[in-house]
Amino acid sequence: MADEKAEPQVIRAPKGTHDVLWPESARWEALVAAFSGRARRAGFGLTITPVFEDARLFRRGIGGDSDVVSKEMYEFTDRDERPLALRPEGTAPIVRAFVQHNPPVPWKAWYLTPAFRYERPQAGRYRQHHQLGVEVLGTEDADLDVEVIALAARFYADLGLRRIDLAVNSMGCGEDRARYVDVLRAFLTEHAAELCDEHRQRFTTHPLRVLDCKRPACRAVTENAPRLVDYLDESCAAHFTRVRTGLDALGIVYRLEPRLVRGLDYYTRTTFEFAASALDAAQNAIGGGGRYDGLSEAIGGPPNPGIGFGIGIERLLLACDAEGCFAVTPTPADAFVIDLTGGEQARDLVDELRQAGLVALRAYDGRSPKSQMKQADRSGARFAVIVGTEELSTGVVTLRPLRDPGEQETVPRRDIAARLSPLSSEG
Ligand code: HAM
């Protein structure tokens, strides 16, 4: 028996990552186009930042002992021993770019980014996932919170999603938060024995994280915990009222979720999360965000309030599958050129058709007429444009419908692009 170790190994994508191939990627294309359209109409511009950053950005920005940073971040040093990290999320890099370039405010950025988290892979949970997101920097106007939440809500609706649960909370800020944390810690101390193993150990240092714990033991305790919204100071309370009034005015249905604190430490005031009711609870969060009025300072910048959200593309598509919506059929090619004269005609014709704005395909490697015809059928193209020896000598091509009923016809070669253009599915 051959030594298996000596066999060349087939290299596969790393655990927890996945490839998106054509035609599934047509859905991604359509998704990104729908999102960028919405974002552009709201004044957001595409922003691209590096996929790796100084690791300190995330430690300071997200919180060094948050799960995302302490357990899940991909960290490494480069050849010059610089501490770097693959971005686990998109917000801190955008705020870093804002601080670095100091653009006029309000600054509205949208992004599409991979995010890396060393999690236990399962359906809807990856080590590399992808987010669509927006961030606005430079204003604390509560109407912007409404605008940002509305953008996400309307986008989900654009895709045809109906079973969406929007939870909203306010995390307060500064002193009111500190006051609440003391009250919560006292409450949890009384119930320490009932908490899950992890939080029984950790609740004194991180009482807010207990509110985020999904284990039944902690859920049962926090059901009756004091609520952050009841401890907001006057300005945070007024801010939150304005947000809620705005959501009502726009007809955006939400529920108040007093335990919504989210897993990243930078949040202040408004937080929100969208869950897809059609998915299992373990990975039904299809988007979330909130305000982070102290993040700019935390990473060494001047004070600058901000708000945004991130939407997980993979989960969003799972939600669409579960609801049977947003099925995207790739646009069929306009023409498949079949060249029975050696290939030069196909070479020239596809170029000519593409120059005219048409989607044109052909076969390669000198395939037989039968094989070219088979490929044309399989390609889903709407028409075959056939050039045989006789056509070539008389300056015509044969145009044969492949999908729609109709007779084949002979068209002067110089007219073929003009003849196909009005029929183009791209147009
Ligand atoms: P996040 O809630 O950690 O927030 O992630 C945003 C979304 O990314 C989640 O709602 C989920 O859809 C998706 N997601 C997260 N982790 C995974 C994973 N391992 N596999 C698949 N999908 C995942 C943030 O990242 C914040 N930066 C959002 C934000 C923007 N807050 C303010 N601005």
Side-chain angles (χ1 to χ4, degrees):
M1 214 171 94
D3 177 5
E4 269 192 13
K5 284 199 185 112
E7 297 281 314
Q9 295 274 322
V10 176
I11 297 172
R12 303 179 65 86
K15 188 174 171 190
T17 70
H18 64 108
D19 303 309
V20 184
L21 304 183
W22 174 257
E24 166 65 6
S25 56
R27 272 179 116 194
W28 285 59
E29 240 180 301
L31 190 79
V32 174
F35 187 79
S36 69
R38 278 254 164 228
R40 250 200 333 267
R41 275 176 275 158
F44 289 84
L46 174 65
T47 307
I48 298 164
T49 59
V51 94
F52 60 89
E53 296 268 0
D54 187 321
R56 292 169 299 180
L57 172 67
F58 301 112
R59 209 163 285 123
R60 289 188 202 157
I62 300 174
D65 52 15
S66 63
D67 282 358
V68 168
V69 171
S70 67
K71 298 185 188 163
E72 296 166 4
M73 197 155 76
Y74 280 85
E75 287 192 71
F76 58 99
T77 49
D78 68 8
R79 288 166 193 272
D80 290 322
E81 299 297 316
R82 290 187 193 90
L84 298 170
L86 294 182
R87 55 161 62 160
E89 57 105 52
T91 308
I94 293 281
V95 177
R96 196 265 313 133
F98 171 79
V99 170
Q100 187 171 333
H101 302 285
N102 195 24
V105 296
W107 190 58
K108 290 177 145 184
W110 79 268
Y111 54 89
L112 162 65
T113 183
F116 306 87
R117 298 183 187 180
Y118 194 80
E119 299 202 72
R120 203 152 49 84
Q122 51 188 290
R125 194 171 291 280
Y126 301 97
R127 290 187 175 165
Q128 176 177 338
H129 71 278
H130 298 81
Q131 289 189 18
L132 283 165
V134 301
E135 312 293 346
V136 187
L137 280 128
T139 162
E140 52 181 6
D141 193 326
D143 287 357
L144 202 57
D145 302 34
V146 177
E147 206 177 283
V148 162
I149 295 173
L151 201 165
R154 308 282 194 225
F155 170 60
Y156 295 129
D158 288 345
L159 306 182
L161 286 168
R162 296 286 168 265
R163 299 179 56 207
I164 299 284
D165 168 72
L166 167 59
V168 175
N169 193 21
S170 175
M171 303 270 301
C173 50
E175 284 178 20
D176 52 348
R177 169 100 65 91
R179 206 150 40 93
Y180 171 72
V181 167
D182 287 343
V183 174
L184 179 63
R185 192 181 289 109
F187 171 85
L188 293 175
T189 307
E190 279 174 40
H191 296 274
E194 301 152 51
L195 296 174
C196 77
D197 290 347
E198 181 187 347
H199 287 111
R200 206 177 312 122
Q201 313 295 329
R202 301 210 315 165
F203 80 92
T204 43
T205 42
H206 300 292
L208 285 174
R209 298 244 166 88
V210 184
L211 296 179
D212 204 29
C213 179
K214 303 289 181 301
R215 295 187 193 103
C218 285
R219 285 318 267 177
V221 173
T222 54
E223 187 87 16
N224 303 310
R227 303 167 356 140
L228 224 166
V229 278
D230 297 330
Y231 288 80
L232 300 180
D233 66 21
E234 214 174 298
S235 95
C236 285
H239 192 273
F240 195 39
T241 302
R242 174 101 187 164
V243 173
R244 297 184 62 176
T245 317
L247 292 175
D248 291 339
L250 268 50
I252 292 172
V253 181
Y254 69 91
R255 69 187 167 79
L256 178 66
E257 173 47 73
R259 285 180 289 183
L260 181 67
V261 292
R262 305 197 20 86
L264 311 160
D265 287 354
Y266 49 60
Y267 290 111
T268 54
R269 296 192 169 177
T270 314
T271 49
F272 53 93
E273 208 155 80
F274 290 90
S277 312
L279 294 180
D280 285 349
Q283 54 275 327
N284 67 355
I286 53 167
R291 255 193 187 281
Y292 42 82
D293 293 345
L295 178 52
S296 170
E297 281 170 278
I299 62 166
N304 252 311
I307 178 162
F309 64 71
I311 292 175
I313 295 183
E314 289 86 353
R315 286 200 197 165
L316 184 58
L317 290 175
L318 284 177
C320 290
D321 292 343
E323 283 204 39
C325 64
F326 199 61
V328 174
T329 338
T331 317
D334 297 307
F336 194 104
V337 177
I338 294 174
D339 183 351
L340 312 175
T341 69
E344 288 89 351
Q345 297 306 310
R347 178 193 65 203
D348 301 348
L349 253 173
V350 290
D351 185 61
E352 196 178 313
L353 296 175
R354 289 170 191 164
Q355 286 284 74
L358 294 154
V359 180
L361 308 176
R362 58 164 292 194
Y364 303 93
D365 300 320
R367 292 297 159 104
S368 69
K370 197 169 153 203
S371 159
Q372 289 191 53
M373 204 54 220
K374 222 164 151 182
Q375 277 194 36
D377 272 332
R378 252 204 333 251
S379 76
R382 299 181 60 210
F383 293 92
V385 174
I386 305 165
V387 194
T389 333
E390 208 181 310
E391 280 101 339
L392 184 58
S393 63
T394 50
V396 296
V397 296
T398 299
L399 184 63
R400 180 184 297 171
L402 293 176
R403 294 158 63 93
D404 307 323
E407 295 295 312
Q408 75 174 31
E409 51 184 302
T410 306
V411 179
R413 162 154 183 176
R414 64 173 179 279
D415 295 344
I416 187 65
R419 173 79 177 74
L420 282 172
S421 288
L423 310 170
S424 169
S425 25
E426 284 285 286

